[in-house]
Amino acid sequence: MAEKMLELKGVTLVFQPGTVNEKLALFELFLDVAPGEWVTVIGGNGAGKTTLLNVVSGVCLPQSGRVLLDGEDVTAKKEYQRAKDIGRVFQDPLMGTAPNMTVEENLAMAKIRGEKRSSFRTGVKRADSAAFEEALAGLGLGLETRKKTAVGALSGGQRQALTLLMAALKRPKLLLLDEHTAALDPRTAEKVMEETESIVRKHQLTTLMITHNMRDALRYGDRLIMMERGRIALDISGEEKRQMTVEKLLARFEQESGSRVVNDKLVL
Ligand SMILES: Nc1ncnc2c1ncn2[C@@H]1O[C@H](COP(=O)(O)OP(=O)(O)O)[C@@H](O)[C@H]1O
Ligand SMILES: [Mg+2]
């Protein structure tokens, strides 16, 4: 394993360059993430957070700069080529799972992700089914009794928890979470966050987690970065992160963005 799991070296990404709609999303961004490190990412709307994850996962190709995953330059690799190394969970609970397939069929699909198509067998192997049941029971959402239920019938929180389980199943080199609890009610969001913590720590997954919830950004993870206009405006870890409060973070945020948080969707 490389000393750094993820390295961004001077990444710049401009959308629709040379047009009136030109948008600078990332500007000469440098970021190193150590193996097993969990980084929480905050920042206002349009700061470049999602674009950062898109560049890392190969959805967007930067104009300049390089992206290294576990020491390997993946800058020119397409999204599907990076898929086996990267797990991703989006805000929308509908995005990560196939609604017409059952819970265990979704898990079986996740298990063969990145493998050759020839290895696909319809149906779920008995041994896999037992392992899935155990993993589902670990979520504490009662999903282990609903292995044969179509995912479309589950609640948003159950779907996000399942998506998380699927994303972690192959022990990806990198787990990317983009406001994955934002669409859930507060109680469910908290449950999914606790589940996130247990999965990330159990498998020591290197994780980038975007959240608009400053409290979560401080409570979880080893390190916190704040983005502003395509750059990293604040990068704290260890004691500095432990000493940080929501109030101080808000003050920094308002200072950086020059705007009041009330106008933004950042919440306490
Ligand atoms: N596909 C796209 N085409 C054009 N502009 C985009 C696209 N995606 C994002 N942007 C712009 O890039 C900037 C950063 O967006 P984004 O990374 O989504 O911000 P965040 O996730 O922090 O809210 C914003 O100004 C946004 O409008
Ligand atoms: Mg976003």
Side-chain angles (χ1 to χ4, degrees):
M1 196 186 286
E3 202 177 315
K4 292 159 187 165
M5 188 53 86
L6 177 67
E7 283 177 85
L8 280 94
K9 293 171 175 270
V11 170
T12 294
L13 190 140
V14 184
F15 287 108
Q16 299 174 273
T19 73
V20 286
N21 295 318
E22 181 173 291
K23 264 267 129 67
L24 180 71
L26 299 175
F27 183 60
E28 294 178 4
L29 189 133
F30 286 81
L31 177 67
D32 286 350
V33 183
E37 191 172 35
W38 180 359
V39 183
T40 61
V41 184
I42 60 167
N45 285 330
K49 305 180 298 297
T50 296
T51 306
L52 171 68
L53 298 202
N54 282 337
V55 159
V56 167
S57 58
V59 176
C60 294
L61 184 69
Q63 271 87 1
S64 60
R66 296 202 301 151
V67 179
L68 279 76
L69 183 61
D70 197 13
E72 187 192 1
D73 192 331
V74 295
T75 316
K77 279 198 180 179
K78 300 267 188 338
E79 187 184 5
Y80 72 90
Q81 294 169 310
R82 302 186 204 184
K84 77 172 169 53
D85 293 326
I86 297 177
R88 190 165 180 181
V89 183
F90 297 90
Q91 180 174 336
D92 186 350
L94 301 181
M95 277 187 77
T97 42
N100 297 322
M101 291 168 72
T102 67
V103 168
E104 65 175 5
E105 283 167 352
N106 269 275
L107 282 160
M109 285 297 289
K111 187 164 181 263
I112 60 160
R113 202 166 61 117
E115 287 172 16
K116 284 210 200 99
R117 276 203 159 256
S118 60
S119 70
F120 182 73
R121 302 266 188 286
T122 41
V124 180
K125 285 189 221 126
R126 195 182 285 260
D128 283 349
S129 184
F132 293 160
E133 187 167 325
E134 197 185 325
L136 289 166
L139 294 175
L141 294 169
L143 277 174
E144 66 279 11
T145 64
R146 308 192 66 188
K147 281 190 300 184
K148 312 272 185 212
T149 302
V151 163
L154 303 180
S155 71
Q158 288 173 325
R159 278 183 86 148
Q160 281 309 69
L162 178 60
T163 306
L164 193 62
L165 206 60
M166 288 164 60
L169 203 64
K170 298 279 279 182
R171 310 290 176 258
K173 290 182 171 174
L174 204 57
L175 179 63
L176 303 176
L177 309 171
D178 194 346
E179 305 203 12
H180 69 304
T181 63
L184 309 174
D185 67 84
R187 261 195 58 192
T188 312
E190 196 173 326
K191 238 185 155 163
V192 172
M193 271 310 307
E194 283 165 12
E195 194 47 45
T196 304
E197 168 140 74
S198 99
I199 287 176
V200 167
R201 295 311 190 193
K202 182 172 165 200
H203 305 300
Q204 296 173 26
L205 299 176
T206 311
T207 302
L208 290 182
M209 180 181 87
I210 299 175
T211 176
H212 63 264
N213 186 312
M214 288 200 185
R215 227 176 271 290
D216 283 349
L218 288 172
R219 183 184 300 154
Y220 296 100
D222 309 302
R223 177 177 168 197
L224 178 152
I225 62 176
M226 178 164 72
M227 290 188 67
E228 184 54 41
R229 283 180 232 108
R231 310 194 77 155
I232 294 172
L234 179 73
D235 186 344
I236 54 171
S237 56
E239 198 48 36
E240 199 180 1
K241 179 170 177 288
R242 277 189 290 276
Q243 298 290 326
M244 183 57 80
T245 62
V246 169
E247 291 69 30
K248 282 195 268 180
L249 206 51
L250 274 174
R252 276 301 288 265
F253 178 80
E254 292 182 356
Q255 179 193 332
E256 287 294 336
S257 65
S259 72
R260 299 270 311 153
V261 170
V262 243
N263 297 322
D264 206 282
K265 64 168 182 166
L266 280 166
V267 294
L268 310 181

